[in-house]
Amino acid sequence: MNSLAGCCKKDFSTLKVKIYGKRLVYLDSAATSLKPESVIESITDFYRNHNANIHRGVYLLSQEATQLYEKTRSKLKKFFNTPEEGEIIYTSGTTGAVNLVASSWGRTNLGEGDVIVLSEMEHHSNLVPWQIVAREKGAELAYIPVTDSGELDLEEYKRIFKNHSVKIVAVNHISNVLGTLNPVEEIVRQAHMYGALVLIDGAQSAPHIPVDISRMDPDFYTVSGHKMLGPTGTGFLYGRRGILKSMPPYQSGGDMIEEVSLENATWNELPYKFEAGTQNIAGFVGLGAAVDYLSRMGMDRVRKHGEELSVKAREKLSSIKGMKFYGPEKGSPGGVLSFNIEGAHPHDIGTILDSEGIAVRTGHHCAQPLMKRLSVPATARASFYIYNDEQDIESLYSGIHKAVEVLKLGVK
Ligand SMILES: Cc1ncc(COP(=O)(O)O)c(C=O)c1O
């Protein structure tokens, strides 16, 4: 069927877990991916053989820990092809990264009447932090509308610049609900023409498609490491060094300082100015192993696999009576498929699927404004990743049939 089918299930021990005695069909990777053995192994190896705090010790163990922690930063720079003038700041994920920018850059640079451009398909993580800073600074929010086919309305986007003083644009690269791949390069070009900055939320793109930050040219790019095979509590903010340098610290305390007196403090160099306190050291070592795993696989293959599975799943499920999909018809490079079945609440579908060992997400997916745009309270969402295959689509199909029978909806 495709270049990756089932090739790596053996690397993911969670797939051996039985759910109510049944095979686990994990279709919730957009929430968090499973972790391969090599990632789990790298974490246990860190705790067993290298555990120490970083950047502080003159002793060998601390130096080893520091090296392992910093090695991941170099791997990430290469993997995402970050430009020379860019920095990677470790965060807990995309939420941590957006909050850092909204709080530090936003509080310093936004004022009365300035406009922050977001879209109707944003995750709450790339929405609420901006609402908070906008309220505080008297700035305004403008939204790029979502078309009926689940894409960003670029004409409307361009129009916003004509009569607003846009300071920053913050949009996702791939929607976690619709699976839409947004034209971020065009979005960046347009904003830069008007002197506005751009933050791209890469939570759903980084795990699935080759991302070349140098080519995309955003000012900020955010990643959730735990969605790309890495440990939970890991992610990063990419930012242009010049902008990051001009931003005040976000959190303060140990490690982010250069010098402290009783009256004052000066800040450490980048990226440490934004990495206050003891970090998730073992987690970032694990993220390095995740990057190695994806690099070995090749992101072109990863993209092809997710896209093919989302297309096949859509084809297969479309024969179910009352099935309605949300998102572009051509399938999703992010491996996402959102749907509803007429007459059924998605939570009921999800609960019945769970009884069959099938894990899908149901609800508003932290995108309530998008649910409003789609005129639904919630959807069910299957999200595919490298360890899924056609057998998983068959299981999903049978599971939904069972749900339809149990809920007495009638089958075509
Ligand atoms: C598009 C998008 N942005 C942001 C986030 C938040 O990521 P995290 O919870 O890792 O901070 C998610 C998580 O699902 C997401 O899908």
Side-chain angles (χ1 to χ4, degrees):
M1 165 215 171
N2 57 53
S3 45
L4 283 172
C7 74
C8 51
K9 275 190 190 287
K10 63 177 187 340
D11 295 340
F12 295 84
S13 27
T14 313
L15 290 174
K16 295 188 192 116
V17 171
K18 293 277 180 262
I19 304 294
Y20 313 115
K22 293 177 180 152
R23 179 176 87 88
L24 167 64
V25 179
Y26 188 74
L27 299 177
D28 196 20
S29 296
T32 196
S33 71
L34 301 179
K35 321 302 173 202
E37 280 309 295
S38 59
V39 168
I40 297 168
E41 189 49 46
S42 73
I43 298 166
T44 52
D45 175 64
F46 175 81
Y47 282 125
R48 286 209 177 100
N49 300 312
H50 311 284
N51 181 74
N53 212 330
I54 49 168
H55 299 149
R56 287 172 205 172
V58 290
Y59 56 92
L60 183 64
L61 207 61
S62 170
Q63 288 165 12
E64 276 177 17
T66 305
Q67 261 175 22
L68 287 168
Y69 175 81
E70 290 300 335
K71 204 167 164 189
T72 296
R73 212 187 302 268
S74 314
K75 288 179 187 177
L76 290 168
K77 284 182 173 169
K78 187 162 173 238
F79 188 75
F80 289 100
N81 192 30
T82 60
E84 264 302 301
E85 75 279 11
E87 286 285 354
I88 279 188
I89 318 273
Y90 288 145
T91 64
S92 59
T94 291
T95 306
V98 177
N99 272 280
L100 193 167
V101 178
S103 180
S104 170
W105 180 87
R107 290 209 171 98
T108 321
N109 291 282
L110 292 171
E112 205 71 37
D114 287 340
V115 169
I116 303 162
V117 177
L118 309 171
S119 88
E120 283 182 331
M121 62 164 86
E122 294 315 307
H123 188 282
H124 295 164
S125 292
N126 192 31
L127 202 124
V128 182
W130 297 112
Q131 290 177 342
I132 290 172
V133 71
R135 203 169 299 134
E136 204 177 297
K137 304 301 294 185
E140 289 165 22
L141 301 169
Y143 287 90
I144 312 171
V146 172
T147 64
D148 290 342
S149 57
E151 279 151 335
L152 292 181
D153 185 336
L154 285 193
E155 289 313 307
E156 281 302 318
Y157 169 59
K158 287 176 184 163
R159 213 162 288 145
I160 295 171
F161 289 85
K162 299 256 186 281
N163 45 13
H164 291 94
S165 158
V166 178
K167 280 287 160 68
I168 192 163
V169 177
V171 293
N172 65 59
H173 196 176
I174 293 184
S175 158
N176 65 313
V177 178
L178 304 169
T180 317
L181 172 64
N182 290 319
V184 287
E185 287 178 21
E186 205 178 331
I187 287 169
V188 169
R189 258 198 315 277
Q190 167 74 17
H192 284 175
M193 244 162 49
Y194 285 82
L197 301 189
V198 181
L199 177 146
I200 301 295
D201 166 357
Q204 296 296 340
S205 50
H208 286 275
I209 64 172
V211 172
D212 184 333
I213 293 183
S214 290
R215 224 180 94 187
M216 189 192 301
D217 200 32
D219 302 283
F220 301 106
Y221 186 86
T222 68
V223 169
S224 296
H226 67 96
K227 294 183 200 284
M228 51 178 285
L229 307 180
T232 51
T234 66
F236 70 83
L237 167 71
Y238 157 82
R240 281 192 210 282
R241 194 174 293 120
I243 302 172
L244 292 169
K245 256 188 167 164
S246 72
M247 287 161 48
Y250 170 49
Q251 292 181 320
S252 51
D255 238 24
M256 52 70 72
I257 52 87
E258 181 187 52
E259 212 172 308
V260 181
S261 68
L262 285 179
E263 294 78 26
N264 212 348
T266 53
W267 317 136
N268 202 344
E269 63 189 21
L270 289 169
Y272 313 112
K273 180 172 87 172
F274 292 110
E275 292 178 6
T278 299
Q279 300 292 303
N280 182 0
I281 306 166
F284 286 107
V285 174
L287 182 58
V291 168
D292 291 342
Y293 190 98
L294 289 172
S295 302
R296 280 195 299 275
M297 194 153 269
M299 290 308 288
D300 287 320
R301 285 172 73 206
V302 171
R303 173 181 175 152
K304 188 162 181 278
H305 183 69
E307 208 155 24
E308 282 179 3
L309 287 181
S310 74
V311 170
K312 293 249 172 200
R314 193 169 170 136
E315 267 168 29
K316 182 85 191 172
L317 302 191
S318 61
S319 66
I320 295 169
K321 190 180 168 192
M323 176 63 74
K324 182 168 169 49
F325 299 109
Y326 305 93
E329 264 175 42
K330 56 183 183 282
S332 168
V336 168
L337 185 63
S338 280
F339 59 91
N340 268 325
I341 300 170
E342 205 184 326
H345 194 284
H347 286 325
D348 294 335
I349 302 281
T351 306
I352 296 166
L353 287 176
D354 174 54
S355 71
E356 295 296 301
I358 304 162
V360 298
R361 176 120 328 207
T362 60
H364 55 62
H365 314 291
C366 297
Q368 285 182 340
L370 180 58
M371 294 297 116
K372 194 163 176 221
R373 167 67 183 88
L374 300 172
S375 306
V376 291
T379 74
R381 180 189 71 189
S383 53
F384 302 95
Y385 205 22
I386 50 176
Y387 32 73
N388 295 118
D389 57 18
E390 259 184 293
Q391 199 192 347
D392 295 336
I393 296 177
E394 290 298 327
S395 301
L396 177 64
Y397 178 75
S398 313
I400 295 178
H401 261 275
K402 177 165 181 203
V404 164
E405 270 167 35
V406 171
L407 299 169
K408 302 198 185 328
L409 299 172
V411 190
K412 218 186 230 176

